[in-house]
Amino acid sequence: MSLDRNMPIKQYNFDQIIDRRQTHSFKWDNVAYPAHLDILPMPVADMDFPVADEILEALDRITAHGILGYSIVPESLKIAAQHKIELDYAWTTSLDSQVWIPGIVPGITAACAALTNEKEGIITAVPVYHPFHLVAGWVNCPLITFEMVKEGDRWTYDFEDFERGLQKGPKVFLLCNPHNPGGTVFNETEILRMVELCAKYNVTIVSDEIHADLRLYPQSEHISIGRFEKQPIISFFATSKAFNTAGLGGAVAVIPDAALRDKFTKASAGFFSMLSRHSIEVMLATYAHGKEWLAQLLPYLRANHDLLLDFVRSTPGLAMQPLEGTYLAWIEYDEAVLGDFQKKSWEAGVHVLRGEQFKGRNFIRLNFACPRAVLEKAIERMKSITNG
Ligand SMILES: Cc1ncc(COP(=O)(O)O)c(C=O)c1O
């Protein structure tokens, strides 16, 4: 489609409330929701917003064509991903380094299966997105964790704890950048420290950058760790999280080292399904046309974030570091003041995830990627259980 420069730019309406119930939604059709309770779901990481028009048009074209056979990843998709990584994350990669996969979680699992064994496992910072620690059980290897700490207004690594963990001999460092939960967008100093430490202890870095485009502040840069590789590295990218197409899957592993790429491919052989035509067309449309939608989404998410932060800061017993990225707030509660806040929120009609799922105690994770009126309602409900 040629761009008509006189065409008005569409304004997306993120305030629009779309009923997602009875759509087989993991978030909204949770079988545990009591029928008599009107629960606001804020757990799983997808957004209650419709996707960009061009994505819907791509899906319409497939429907009109009517054939849903097997698909191959076209060169145009590989080039689109390569360009994005170069332009947006300042990392020059070759097309040969790409391995297209159905999702990042299966990719992480394959990477860990390829690189670890019963004695030498994984190191990762906690709290963290639960597959990062669960994967050790899935591939049967040891798990070493180290702590995230508050430094000023943000979460970062306890680098001394990280080094102590590295001394125990893991094979793989699992990095989540931006970090889920807590939203840290790691800066260059932090990334370089990770690179140095992993090189010192000869640990392979496996980096999940699925949230890279969800930076709440335009001035913050996404620092792709692959830019500084000193040794073989696996970096995962996907458009599915930032552009809200998670249900369709599709991701790319960038593995410049041929031997490592071979190991990864062998470990995943037979486990991954082929990418669907839907997934391929949607990724192509996203790379080509997603920018405007994202540019309108980010200020909306920022305003939701600020609303939530105001509530947390004005509520005795709750605390939260402002997020730099993602829409997944990590809220600490004082049990002595508020009791079991996750349970109380549920009873008040707000479903948030319990911190333990991410290896954090007395925290909840709240997804604020929803229309403002829904967030306001959730805040009202939480106010009713905080004496606020
Ligand atoms: C850090 C992180 N990685 C991966 C995923 C899921 O990726 P995929 O659906 O591609 O397996 C999520 C979903 O929330 C996530 O937060």
Side-chain angles (χ1 to χ4, degrees):
M1 191 177 77
S2 66
L3 188 68
D4 178 351
R5 302 208 173 276
N6 298 319
M7 232 160 61
I9 293 173
K10 168 164 180 174
Q11 293 302 307
Y12 286 97
N13 177 11
F14 298 106
D15 282 330
Q16 185 190 1
I17 296 180
I18 298 177
D19 191 353
R20 293 184 63 187
R21 285 168 300 184
Q22 298 185 22
T23 61
H24 317 296
S25 159
F26 187 26
K27 192 172 175 187
W28 283 85
D29 290 324
N30 187 325
V31 287
Y33 293 166
H36 64 283
L37 259 188
D38 150 43
I39 295 258
L40 297 175
M42 301 183 144
V44 188
D46 68 22
M47 305 191 252
D48 294 335
F49 305 129
V51 299
D53 285 358
E54 292 85 353
I55 293 179
L56 297 175
E57 286 159 15
L59 292 171
D60 286 348
R61 281 195 300 275
I62 300 173
T63 307
H65 186 239
I67 296 181
L68 301 175
Y70 292 120
S71 298
I72 50 167
V73 173
E75 188 83 353
S76 53
L77 183 57
K78 296 179 187 173
I79 292 171
Q82 182 192 42
H83 280 172
K84 180 164 174 66
I85 294 167
E86 171 127 32
L87 292 177
D88 290 358
Y89 316 141
W91 184 22
T92 307
T93 58
S94 75
L95 293 185
D96 288 345
S97 66
Q98 296 182 3
V99 183
W100 286 82
I101 58 176
I104 291 188
V105 171
I108 288 173
T109 311
C112 293
L115 296 168
T116 67
N117 56 54
E118 279 179 28
K119 294 213 169 82
E120 299 159 309
I122 295 159
I123 183 162
T124 199
V126 290
V128 75
Y129 176 54
H130 49 297
F132 276 55
H133 61 81
L134 294 176
V135 67
W138 299 340
V139 303
N140 193 25
C141 75
L143 173 72
I144 298 161
T145 60
F146 62 97
E147 296 293 318
M148 300 282 295
V149 286
K150 281 179 228 167
E151 208 174 82
D153 232 5
R154 65 197 283 275
W155 290 99
T156 184
Y157 281 6
D158 178 339
F159 279 94
E160 284 170 16
D161 202 20
F162 186 17
E163 183 152 13
R164 277 192 295 274
L166 287 166
Q167 286 160 355
K168 294 179 191 157
K171 280 279 185 200
V172 169
F173 161 50
L174 279 185
L175 165 64
C176 187
N177 180 30
H179 194 85
N180 167 18
T184 302
V185 175
F186 290 105
N187 61 38
E188 194 165 325
T189 310
E190 290 164 325
I191 293 287
L192 286 173
R193 241 174 129 177
M194 295 174 200
V195 171
E196 291 303 329
L197 282 169
C198 289
K200 181 171 169 191
Y201 292 95
N202 195 23
V203 168
T204 303
I205 299 170
V206 174
S207 178
D208 174 348
E209 305 183 20
I210 198 170
H211 292 281
D213 292 331
L214 288 168
R215 301 188 306 282
L216 296 178
Y217 300 94
Q219 66 273 23
S220 74
E221 201 187 334
H222 175 69
I223 312 285
S224 227
I225 197 161
R227 269 168 63 187
F228 308 101
E229 58 172 314
K230 287 211 164 174
Q231 55 203 74
I233 184 166
I234 300 179
S235 303
F236 293 109
F237 301 94
T239 50
S240 56
K241 191 64 56 180
F243 297 90
N244 208 24
T245 60
L248 285 176
V252 62
V254 177
I255 316 175
D257 182 87
L260 180 59
R261 197 162 62 243
D262 190 49
K263 263 191 178 174
F264 175 82
T265 310
K266 285 200 175 115
S268 57
F271 281 105
F272 292 170
S273 61
M274 295 169 88
L275 295 189
S276 67
R277 183 174 175 198
H278 289 80
S279 161
I280 289 169
E281 294 291 352
V282 158
M283 286 190 277
L284 281 169
T286 305
Y287 283 125
H289 305 289
K291 263 198 160 140
E292 181 53 41
W293 183 87
L294 186 68
Q296 293 183 36
L297 170 79
L298 292 173
Y300 193 90
L301 286 181
R302 211 156 54 226
N304 274 8
H305 167 270
D306 294 351
L307 187 69
L308 182 67
L309 186 64
D310 279 352
F311 158 67
V312 169
R313 286 189 164 158
S314 62
T315 305
L318 289 183
M320 162 183 162
Q321 310 308 112
L323 272 70
E324 296 168 332
T326 82
Y327 45 76
L328 304 162
W330 186 236
I331 303 172
E332 189 169 9
Y333 63 92
D334 183 341
E335 207 169 352
V337 179
L338 294 169
D340 182 340
F341 193 64
Q342 194 275 346
K343 183 162 175 277
K344 283 190 172 172
S345 298
W346 169 271
E347 286 160 359
V350 181
H351 183 200
V352 290
L353 292 177
R354 201 173 264 294
E356 276 81 353
Q357 180 169 332
F358 309 94
K359 290 198 180 286
R361 210 181 123 60
N362 289 349
F363 282 86
I364 54 163
R365 195 192 76 170
L366 184 152
N367 173 348
F368 56 79
C370 58
R372 183 110 355 107
V374 176
L375 181 61
E376 282 166 353
K377 204 164 164 188
I379 289 174
E380 278 315 306
R381 288 180 183 184
M382 289 190 288
K383 269 189 187 156
S384 73
I385 52 167
T386 57
N387 311 315

